[in-house]
Amino acid sequence: LVAHGKAQERMYFCSHYWGEYFRDFMVTIDAHAAHNGEGLRANYWICVYAVNQHQIELGHRLCDSPFYRGLQGSRATLLMLDKKADALSRLWCVFELNETLQKLKHPLEVWTPLGRVGTGLVSSGPVLQALMRVDTRKAKASHPVDQRSIMNHVAGLDENQG
């Protein structure tokens, strides 16, 4: 992240699905920042703003991708869910969660526009029901090469196998 020619600290990596409503996405960011007392000081790594979506250079391995580098430099990952938990149907989100928990050992926080999952306003309802039904083996990527690489990586196989 660069602002005014200087690199910025990546405080939070946002793992999300771009099919969600932008308003809900921003309400979730605002709720997270307010909950943590961060205000405008908080820096969020959001792929559409951090990576040129028309010329994404993923590298030869997933650890070379801008998504992994964004995760690596963050202090926590925010999984941002809509009421159907659609982010968990996206394989890149599964990759981000796997790296957060398994490799980087970073904290993971699950948030919705109503607040953090497991707290007062988000302790039951459609989001929790969707979380209980999620099967990440069914998650999809837009490109077949990404699909194969991520599935292999998460399974502990050579990313380029197959």
Side-chain angles (χ1 to χ4, degrees), residues 30-50:
D30 287 344
H32 179 267
H35 174 82
N36 288 300
E38 302 282 7
L40 297 175
R41 294 184 314 269
N43 293 319
Y44 294 85
W45 194 97
I46 303 167
C47 64
V48 74
Y49 303 114

Side-chain angles (χ1 to χ4, degrees), residues 117-155:
V117 171
T119 61
L121 291 174
V122 194
S123 59
S124 64
V127 171
L128 274 339
Q129 291 170 4
L131 281 170
M132 289 189 289
R133 289 190 307 269
V134 165
D135 183 350
T136 57
R137 296 173 300 179
K138 296 178 182 176
K140 299 289 180 201
S142 300
H143 300 289
V145 171
D146 294 351
Q147 180 86 21
R148 183 203 68 227
S149 296
I150 295 169
M151 293 293 271
N152 284 351
H153 179 82
V154 170

Side-chain angles (χ1 to χ4, degrees), residues 105-127:
K105 310 282 191 220
H106 286 179
L108 171 66
E109 300 178 23
V110 183
W111 282 77
T112 75
L114 295 175
R116 189 174 182 172
V117 171
T119 61
L121 291 174
V122 194
S123 59
S124 64
V127 171

Side-chain angles (χ1 to χ4, degrees), residues 16-38:
H16 63 99
Y17 167 62
W18 272 113
E20 68 196 314
Y21 291 110
F22 183 73
R23 180 186 179 284
D24 287 351
F25 181 82
M26 293 310 300
V27 165
T28 305
I29 295 281
D30 287 344
H32 179 267
H35 174 82
N36 288 300
E38 302 282 7

